[in-house]
């Protein structure tokens, strides 16, 4: 009998803990990864509290094994997978399409209607565990310059990079980012690396001060936001009113990027979109931005490791999902688990 592996399992709203489970196996086309580091996302919190919409839409159900931001080492390969993956440090895509539909065949597997999502959708076990099985087709190799912590920041980084691409950021342009959380700060870092003048808008004094500590001088509350021409506005918040605010603030002919998700519908006036000739871009996932994010981290263009406030053990995770700040945590918004 193979030794069990420890995995963090949510069994119901507010009910979770570490369980000893049967270890994963590498089926055809799959690999098994020994997880080194995993990040905790707001999506994980919503599954823990029971608020995540997927639970109500039937795309997910308890018990759930969370974790979609991760890095680790391949320790087993299934049939059809090259042995060259063995021993390689990797991260991987969260969005796993069916591979056969029009969307998958055209490179848009992240919007496949039949997709599973690692640690999120369709019962696919996640990486808040000692080991996880993933399709080899989802893997991205990590160079030596990208350590375990950076590897577990590739997935949120890919989302942020896509937001910056959607904003068409360019040297000398001016971008306003709404929401200085993990995605907002990562977007700010990528926009700064692209040569843009970057401003952030937030609410909580702690998050605003942390943004300033990262070298962003233009950090504002909404009432203090300067009257400047914003070439692009990125909504990385979870406030339902802010997409309309973004549309009001952006310059005519500019771009609004929606990457944050509110718990209730956001309303915008489409007449304003048309009359201001604004391009509005939605970003669902990191998938098309993962490789470029790894490259940016490896070059040192962006270093998001200061965003990690604390690195915990699996056994310490439940209180964090319940809203407790770890003792001794730094000012950043991201929590990691070392496995």
């Amino acid at each position: 009998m193979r030794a069990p592996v420890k995995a963090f399992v949510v069994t119901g709203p507010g009910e979770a803990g570490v369980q000893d489970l049967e270890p994963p196996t590498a089926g055809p086309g799959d690999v098994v990864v020994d997880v080194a580091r995993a990040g905790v996302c707001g999506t994980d919190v919503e599954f823990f509290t029971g608020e995540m919409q997927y639970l109500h839409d039937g795309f997910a159900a308890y018990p759930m094994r969370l974790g979609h931001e991760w890095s680790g080492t391949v320790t087993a390969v299934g049939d059809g997978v090259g042995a060259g993956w063995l021993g390689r440090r990797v991260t991987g895509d969260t969005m796993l399409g069916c591979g056969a539909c029009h969307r998958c065949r055209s490179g848009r597997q992240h919007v496949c209607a039949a997709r599973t999502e690692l640690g999120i959708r369709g019962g696919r076990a996640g990486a808040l565990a000692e080991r996880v099985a993933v399709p080899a087709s989802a893997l991205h190799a990590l160079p030596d310059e990208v350590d375990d912590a950076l590897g577990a920041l590739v997935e949120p980084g890919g989302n942020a990079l896509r937001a910056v691409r959607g904003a068409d950021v360019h040297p000398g342009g001016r971008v306003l980012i709404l929401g200085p959380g993990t995605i907002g700060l990562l977007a700010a870092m990528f926009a700064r690396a692209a040569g843009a003048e970057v401003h952030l808008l937030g609410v909580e004094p702690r998050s605003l001060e942390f943004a300033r500590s990262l070298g962003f001088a233009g950090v504002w509350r909404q009432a203090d936001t300067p009257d400047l021409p914003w070439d692009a506005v990125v909504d990385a918040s979870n406030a339902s009113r802010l997409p309309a605010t973004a549309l009001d603030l952006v310059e005519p002919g500019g771009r609004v990027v929606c990457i944050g998700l509110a718990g209730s519908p956001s309303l915008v006036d489409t007449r304003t979109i048309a009359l201001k000739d604004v391009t509005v871009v939605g970003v669902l996932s990191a998938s098309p931005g993962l490789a470029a994010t790894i490259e940016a981290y490896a070059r040192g263009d962006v270093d998001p490791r200061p965003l990690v406030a604390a690195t915990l053990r699996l056994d310490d995770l439940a209180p964090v999902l319940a809203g407790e700040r770890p003792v001794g945590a730094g000012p950043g918004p991201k929590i990691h688990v070392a496995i």
Side-chain angles (χ1 to χ4, degrees):
M1 181 177 177
R2 296 184 302 158
V5 297
K6 295 186 180 300
F8 187 83
V9 183
V10 180
T11 54
E15 300 174 356
V18 177
Q19 298 183 12
D20 289 330
L21 301 175
E22 184 74 15
T25 57
D30 287 354
V31 305
V32 172
V33 175
D34 282 11
V35 181
R37 185 75 67 96
V40 180
C41 175
T43 301
D44 301 320
V45 174
E46 291 182 4
F47 278 122
F48 178 80
T49 63
E51 297 172 294
M52 177 60 185
Q53 192 62 40
Y54 276 5
L55 292 167
H56 307 286
D57 292 340
F59 293 130
Y62 300 120
M64 291 197 63
R65 292 170 58 179
L66 303 177
H68 60 278
E69 305 173 2
W70 58 274
S71 63
T73 301
V74 176
T75 54
V77 299
D79 290 344
V81 180
W85 280 112
L86 282 170
R88 297 196 73 177
R89 295 178 56 253
V90 295
T91 188
D93 201 344
T94 299
M95 316 297 258
L96 308 174
C98 71
C101 70
H102 171 70
R103 296 173 191 174
C104 287
R105 293 197 309 271
S106 60
R108 295 178 290 133
Q109 90 289 339
H110 60 291
V111 289
C112 170
R115 70 184 181 274
T116 58
E117 299 177 23
L118 193 80
I120 296 176
R121 173 173 165 148
R124 172 76 69 165
L128 281 165
E130 290 177 324
R131 293 177 189 164
V132 65
V134 297
S137 59
L139 295 179
H140 289 261
L142 296 176
D144 291 342
E145 296 85 356
V146 178
D147 63 18
D148 292 338
L150 281 173
L153 287 161
V154 168
E155 197 277 342
N159 278 282
L161 176 58
R162 288 196 65 213
V164 170
R165 287 176 169 175
D168 193 25
V169 169
H170 56 274
R174 182 180 290 118
V175 59
L176 176 65
I177 296 170
L178 312 182
T182 298
I183 298 299
L185 290 170
L186 281 163
M189 289 178 170
F190 278 108
R192 179 170 61 186
E197 177 187 327
V198 181
H199 296 249
L200 294 111
L201 185 150
V203 175
E204 297 181 2
R206 184 179 70 183
S207 63
L208 296 175
E209 187 56 37
F210 180 65
R212 293 187 186 99
S213 76
L214 297 174
F216 297 105
V219 180
W220 316 99
R221 294 176 181 270
Q222 188 165 350
D224 304 323
T225 307
D227 184 16
L228 295 172
W230 307 106
D231 300 308
V233 180
V234 176
D235 177 24
S237 77
N238 59 2
S240 60
R241 62 181 176 82
L242 285 186
T245 299
L247 186 57
D248 288 340
L249 291 172
V250 73
E251 275 286 281
R255 289 184 168 233
V256 168
V257 178
C258 299
I259 189 169
L261 291 175
S264 58
S266 302
L267 302 179
V268 297
D269 189 339
T270 58
R271 294 172 299 181
T272 305
I273 296 173
L275 292 171
K276 292 184 72 172
D277 200 23
V278 170
T279 300
V280 179
V281 179
V283 175
L284 171 65
S285 83
S287 302
L290 294 172
T293 298
I294 293 169
E295 293 170 2
Y297 288 176
R299 290 192 303 266
D301 296 347
V302 171
D303 183 359
R305 285 172 291 192
L307 274 60
V308 179
T311 302
L312 311 177
R313 303 174 304 163
L314 276 176
D315 291 330
D316 301 323
L317 183 53
V320 171
L321 295 178
E324 294 184 19
R325 189 81 176 168
V327 175
K334 176 61 69 176
I335 302 297
H336 270 184
V337 177
I339 302 171

